[in-house]
Amino acid sequence: MTTSATAPVPALELPATVEGFRAQFLRNLSFSGGVTLDEASVNDRYLALARTVRDFLMVHWLHDQHRQAEEQPKTVCYLSAEYLLGDQLDNDLLAGGLTEAAEGAMAACGIDLDELRRHEIEPGLGNGGLGRLAACFIDSLATLGVPSIGYGIRYEYGIFRQTFEDGQQVEQPDAWLTLGAPWEQPRPEAAQTVSFGGRTETDAAGASRWIPGWNVSAVPYDYLVPGFGNDRVNTLRLWRAKATDAFDLRIFNSGDYEQAVRAQTFAENISKVLYPEDSTPQGKELRLQQQYFFVAASIRDFLARLPEGFDLARLPERVIFQLNDTHPVIAVPELMRVLVDERGLEWDAAWAVAQQCFAYTCHTLLPEALEVWPVELLGRLLPRHLEIVYRINEEFLDAVRARFGDDEMRIRDMSIIAEFPVRAVRMAYLATVAGAKVNGVAELHSQLLRDKVLPAFAEFFPQKFTNVTNGVTPRRFLRLANPGLSGLITEAIGDGWITDLERLRALEPLAEDAGFRASFAAVKAANKARLNDVLQARDGMRVGDGHLIDVMVKRLHEYKRQLLKVLHVVSEYEGVVSGRVPLDALQPRTVLFGAKAAPGYAMAKRIIHLINAVGSVVNADPRLEGRLQVLFPPNYNVTLAESVIPAADLSEQISLAGKEASGTGNMKFALNGALTIGTDDGANVEIRELVGDENFFLFGMTEPEAEQLGRDGYHPAEFYQADAGLRRAIDLIASGAFSGGDRSVFEPIVSNLLYDDRFMVLADYASYMAAQERVDAAYADPDGWTRSAILNVARCGFFSSDRSIRDYIERIWHTPPTA
């Protein structure tokens, strides 16, 4: 290796030409795959192609690793429990400027590149918006040239593969690794040992020492994260759990084969699945094991990168650990333990370092989503860490008393340790006390975070709280997902928008150009045809010709209010079949749902059942003549999203105001020319302000109005009684019309709406129905609709993850890009 900080590390130069790519592909096919071109299966060819792309990127990765080791720049370590990456092939070809070379090479070999694209299985490493945001952010970090490492877990089976049986969700293992994992690079030499359990001891000097009860090995697998067009390649490092002593030959030879591998099975459970069902004590413990496992390995891994003799008092000059929600917050006591117990820093010095090395992003407004860990569990699994949390809390509460006196209720409200209903550690509080900054993810969310979720902390630490509105990567969600539209945009304004999305503003005058509107409408029609091809091949489904495509795709949770969308569908259906609404008055519409429910979330799974049941009845009823249909393709993922989003006309963002942190699906749809129907919630507020009220279908209560209704006493049955349309829709569901006459099937949903309805579905129903009437009227004017769609695209450049990362750099990280 060279010693110059600027000289490249010696590496094989691979010419990014058709012939250079073809030669490397054939080498991989023969030497890695062990087959000739004629013998190779589709999987052989796909694996060889993926390895070839990695080879080209690896040259730049090696150079970047060498340069960072020499220059030691400040690095962003992004700690996230999930990364919803999507397919890697096209993304890496685009970022590396290899698309033309790959297409030419495959053609020269007589290979259908599209067949290899269809063969790829996306990594099952994420669930919803949190994981997709993390994937967008690491893309932008690389594109902006910011030294960074993403850290997470290499889940063997991911979240789950969703199937439907009789309309009900069934969870299957997501065996995404079955056909090989060519995008990852195992690094067993960099494995870290992670400890659990045991006890603590106090020495004669009063220092505490952890005596662990058992260990696991964290084995890293690296994914390359290429920046777009800049030869920058960062790293996503994911950890797999393995037993430190995986196999006991003595026990095996005694005939107890199961016991011989018990340690291996126990350890490997840690990285089996994303978000194990935690309604049992065993499930809760496994979740905490996962969280500690990956942050402990990650902290050790980063510290190992520091030069020998590095002064740890200067650690904040080298790293910022970004905590993506509360899942990685156990990293705070872990860093303190390492600094104090292993590296010998005094407590005060270590705490001064730690408070500059962490920043916390809160992704929720729901109190139940702010993680707490029972003291009993944390003390049993991580006894030394509980001691550290106690001391952090004690010193923090001393500071609170020093400022506010002995205000017992304030002390209880701000204590990291909750006393009721069980003693537990409040992880959001710990992150707020320890973090240099705390940010929300939309303007409204950040305001509510300060005013209602963590108000006492915002008063105590006003300088800590800031906002960074989320964003999405334009490379994947416009350039790749919507080639027709991206080509039209580039033809009109050039290709600079790919890394500077605000340039889309130049499209605004073209909304008044009839020729551009016609071209834009043609792209949308082609995207609808493409979606039909995908749905037909994937699920045997088809969108009706000429239909408005009305899309609601997101994690299934009551606060997102998929039930409100179902009530709209049922109301439309009931109006026609009852004869009250003439069929020709019904706007042809396909309502497309995509959602997974957490395995232990019974109400969410009932809602999925209801959606499918309503769809089965509506789609089969000849009285509708196909003018209304409901599609719910199972196992919605990034790959399907890349076909759904460009085809959508209407984006449903209908959470109760004050409950959605931000949303990123809303941004993707608007950037691809879908109009939004939504409440003033999360980033909807900023979307509406940017695109204009006339290009957004606003409905529902504001956050203050919803809060006031709750204070006054919300009685959903009163809304049911007062609104005849709502009453007819709920009564139809209650009658068994969608459950074969069995009234008991959906009774829990009906009762929930009438007597609980904590997300005020019924209160917003009338306003929502009125907004849908405005949708129908607007869609009846195709040219006017297209004009609004163009303005949505033109005015949403703000929602780039590149802009988000620049905001993080300026407001939180202070990590300038490197050349």
Side-chain angles (χ1 to χ4, degrees):
M1 182 176 292
T2 64
T3 57
S4 170
T6 57
V9 62
L12 174 68
E13 291 296 330
L14 298 175
T17 61
V18 170
E19 184 51 40
F21 196 97
R22 176 180 172 275
Q24 188 67 12
F25 170 77
L26 293 175
R27 280 194 288 269
N28 274 313
L29 200 60
S30 297
F31 301 141
S32 297
V35 293
T36 66
L37 181 59
D38 291 338
E39 298 168 335
S41 66
V42 172
N43 194 56
D44 292 329
R45 294 174 177 187
Y46 165 72
L47 292 176
L49 174 59
R51 290 176 182 129
T52 301
V53 176
R54 279 190 67 253
D55 290 344
F56 278 87
L57 297 180
M58 186 65 76
V59 173
H60 302 297
W61 182 85
L62 288 168
H63 173 71
D64 285 341
Q65 294 299 300
H66 169 77
R67 182 177 57 189
Q68 290 180 44
E70 292 287 332
E71 297 177 1
Q72 292 287 304
K74 186 172 183 179
T75 300
V76 176
C77 289
Y78 200 79
L79 302 179
S80 180
E82 54 175 293
Y83 292 87
L84 196 59
L85 296 174
D87 291 348
Q88 297 295 286
L89 177 58
D90 278 328
N91 183 76
D92 288 3
L93 286 173
L94 174 67
L98 298 167
T99 304
E100 290 185 7
E103 289 174 343
M106 293 304 98
C109 292
I111 294 173
D112 181 358
L113 181 56
D114 286 337
E115 182 180 33
L116 302 190
R117 288 183 169 114
R118 291 190 296 270
H119 187 75
E120 183 172 4
I121 300 174
E122 67 174 76
L125 299 169
N127 177 25
L130 183 82
R132 186 52 240 175
L133 181 77
C136 286
F137 278 4
I138 61 173
D139 171 272
S140 287
L141 281 162
T143 296
L144 293 175
V146 178
S148 69
I149 308 169
Y151 283 114
I153 300 178
R154 180 186 180 268
Y155 301 101
E156 185 175 349
Y157 292 108
I159 178 72
F160 59 82
R161 183 172 62 85
Q162 181 191 55
T163 60
F164 296 139
E165 292 183 9
D166 298 324
Q168 300 185 65
Q169 174 177 292
V170 175
E171 300 92 25
Q172 303 285 351
D174 180 11
W176 64 280
L177 292 166
T178 300
L179 298 178
W183 301 104
E184 66 181 23
Q185 178 69 43
R187 301 285 185 184
E189 75 284 355
Q192 303 292 337
T193 298
V194 179
S195 301
F196 295 93
R199 67 188 192 281
T200 61
E201 292 181 348
T202 303
D203 63 19
S208 189
R209 187 167 65 101
W210 184 19
I211 312 298
W214 50 281
N215 303 317
V216 300
S217 179
V219 180
Y221 289 72
D222 287 349
Y223 282 73
L224 305 185
V225 184
F228 175 78
N230 63 359
D231 292 336
R232 184 60 175 256
V233 183
N234 285 342
T235 307
L236 171 61
R237 174 157 284 191
L238 304 175
W239 300 98
R240 176 190 177 193
K242 293 187 69 176
T244 51
D245 297 308
F247 181 73
D248 191 315
L249 183 61
R250 180 183 55 81
I251 295 177
F252 182 86
N253 286 336
S254 73
D256 193 344
Y257 306 135
E258 182 177 343
Q259 180 65 23
V261 295
R262 185 178 180 184
Q264 179 178 352
T265 302
F266 182 76
E268 292 182 359
N269 282 341
I270 292 174
S271 55
K272 285 291 185 190
V273 298
L274 170 65
Y275 300 148
E277 210 284 296
D278 64 351
S279 61
T280 66
Q282 296 90 339
K284 285 185 173 64
E285 183 165 340
L286 181 55
R287 280 211 186 191
L288 183 54
Q289 287 174 4
Q290 286 185 331
Q291 293 180 8
Y292 178 67
F293 164 77
F294 96 86
V295 300
S298 302
I299 287 173
R300 286 183 172 276
D301 182 75
F302 182 79
L303 294 180
R305 297 166 185 263
L306 298 174
E308 187 174 351
F310 180 82
D311 180 3
L312 288 172
R314 297 176 50 228
L315 189 60
E317 299 173 16
R318 284 285 290 113
V319 68
I320 182 74
F321 292 105
Q322 186 66 38
L323 305 171
N324 192 29
D325 217 22
T326 51
H327 309 123
V329 173
I330 196 66
V332 172
E334 170 63 7
L335 180 60
M336 286 296 293
R337 185 192 68 81
V338 171
L339 294 178
V340 173
D341 295 1
E342 296 184 2
R343 300 299 182 97
L345 269 67
E346 294 296 325
W347 174 273
D348 290 344
W351 183 235
V353 168
Q355 285 185 296
Q356 299 175 71
C357 286
F358 290 104
Y360 165 51
T361 300
C362 178
H363 284 279
T364 188
L365 290 166
L366 303 180
E368 63 267 30
L370 296 172
E371 283 187 313
V372 297
W373 289 110
V375 162
E376 182 278 329
L377 172 59
L378 190 59
R380 176 162 43 84
L381 201 62
L382 300 168
R384 176 61 178 140
H385 298 73
L386 182 59
E387 290 181 350
I388 291 170
V389 171
Y390 279 149
R391 181 164 177 180
I392 292 171
N393 190 49
E394 179 182 347
E395 295 185 357
F396 168 62
L397 294 182
D398 285 344
V400 173
R401 290 187 182 97
R403 185 182 303 183
F404 296 107
D406 291 325
D407 182 340
E408 182 59 29
M409 286 308 298
R410 181 186 290 270
I411 297 300
R412 285 178 172 270
D413 287 345
M414 297 184 72
S415 175
I416 296 169
I417 308 298
E419 301 295 339
F420 182 84
V422 296
R423 296 201 84 212
V425 178
R426 299 190 268 210
M427 303 306 280
Y429 288 19
L430 177 59
T432 303
V433 171
K437 291 288 184 179
V438 177
N439 73 280
V441 289
E443 287 287 355
L444 176 62
H445 173 242
S446 293
Q447 175 190 330
L448 295 175
L449 184 64
R450 290 188 298 266
D451 295 348
K452 297 186 177 180
V453 179
L454 298 169
F457 291 89
E459 180 185 8
F460 194 81
F461 298 119
Q463 76 286 354
K464 285 193 179 188
F465 284 76
T466 189
N467 172 66
V468 177
T469 298
N470 285 342
V472 302
T473 170
R475 271 75 63 184
R476 181 176 289 273
F477 288 107
L478 191 50
R479 174 60 181 81
L480 285 176
N482 202 339
L485 180 56
S486 64
L488 183 64
I489 292 170
T490 296
E491 182 181 343
I493 65 172
D495 63 3
W497 61 270
I498 299 174
T499 53
D500 182 5
L501 206 58
E502 290 283 10
R503 294 193 187 192
L504 293 179
R505 275 282 179 181
L507 295 172
E508 195 164 331
L510 296 176
E512 306 304 329
D513 184 308
F516 189 82
R517 290 198 302 272
S519 297
F520 189 96
V523 167
K524 181 66 74 172
N527 287 336
K528 290 184 176 183
R530 177 164 66 104
L531 174 61
N532 259 337
D533 291 343
V534 169
L535 290 175
Q536 185 66 49
R538 183 186 189 272
D539 304 296
M541 298 176 177
R542 184 171 182 81
V543 175
D545 293 336
H547 279 213
L548 181 156
I549 300 183
D550 178 354
V551 179
M552 189 170 192
V553 289
K554 53 189 78 253
R555 182 167 53 92
L556 203 304
H557 195 289
E558 289 170 272
Y559 89 84
K560 294 180 182 289
R561 300 204 296 190
Q562 283 92 347
L563 270 177
L564 184 55
K565 181 74 249 175
V566 174
L567 288 175
H568 171 234
V569 172
V570 172
S571 293
E572 296 279 84
Y573 173 71
E574 188 278 332
V576 171
V577 299
S578 69
R580 291 184 307 97
V581 177
L583 181 61
D584 60 6
L586 186 66
Q587 166 64 52
R589 183 189 296 235
T590 292
V591 179
L592 192 152
F593 288 92
K596 292 181 179 180
Y601 192 171
M603 182 56 70
K605 296 175 85 168
R606 290 190 187 104
I607 293 169
I608 285 178
H609 188 194
L610 176 61
I611 294 169
N612 280 321
V614 169
S616 294
V617 172
V618 168
N619 297 347
D621 196 320
R623 292 172 289 183
L624 294 178
E625 298 180 5
R627 293 175 71 89
L628 177 64
Q629 64 177 152
V630 177
L631 302 183
F632 196 156
N635 205 49
Y636 184 76
N637 57 13
V638 176
T639 302
L640 181 55
E642 291 172 9
S643 295
V644 169
I645 292 169
D649 295 304
L650 186 67
S651 167
E652 300 272 351
Q653 308 296 333
I654 60 177
S655 53
L656 176 64
K659 300 301 179 185
E660 182 68 82
S662 172
T664 50
N666 47 7
M667 303 169 188
K668 295 163 193 166
F669 282 103
L671 277 169
N672 281 271
L675 275 60
T676 303
I677 183 169
T679 52
D680 252 348
D681 196 26
N684 285 358
V685 177
E686 289 153 281
I687 291 175
R688 183 174 62 83
E689 290 173 351
L690 285 166
V691 306
D693 287 337
E694 68 278 13
N695 303 305
F696 187 106
F697 300 100
L698 178 66
F699 78 95
M701 296 175 287
T702 64
E703 187 276 331
E705 289 169 343
E707 185 180 42
Q708 186 63 50
L709 179 58
R711 281 199 301 264
D712 292 344
Y714 173 50
H715 305 290
E718 293 177 359
F719 288 84
Y720 164 84
Q721 293 292 350
D723 189 316
L726 175 59
R727 192 164 61 249
R728 285 190 292 265
I730 290 179
D731 287 353
L732 192 61
I733 296 170
S735 73
F738 304 108
S739 49
D742 187 343
R743 300 170 65 95
S744 68
V745 174
F746 298 121
E747 172 56 30
I749 293 178
V750 172
S751 292
N752 177 272
L753 286 172
L754 293 177
Y755 307 118
D756 188 5
D757 190 23
R758 64 193 183 112
F759 299 110
M760 299 183 178
V761 170
L762 302 195
D764 271 348
Y765 169 85
S767 179
Y768 180 60
M769 294 297 291
Q772 290 288 0
E773 290 179 7
R774 299 198 302 275
V775 169
D776 289 343
Y779 198 72
D781 174 12
D783 205 43
W785 185 280
T786 299
R787 179 184 181 278
S788 290
I790 293 169
L791 290 174
N792 266 260
V793 176
R795 294 172 178 175
C796 281
F798 173 78
F799 298 109
S800 169
S801 53
D802 298 344
R803 188 271 313 150
S804 298
I805 292 303
R806 291 189 184 99
D807 286 349
Y808 273 102
I809 292 170
E810 177 185 344
R811 301 172 189 175
I812 300 174
W813 298 337
H814 311 297
T815 50
T818 57

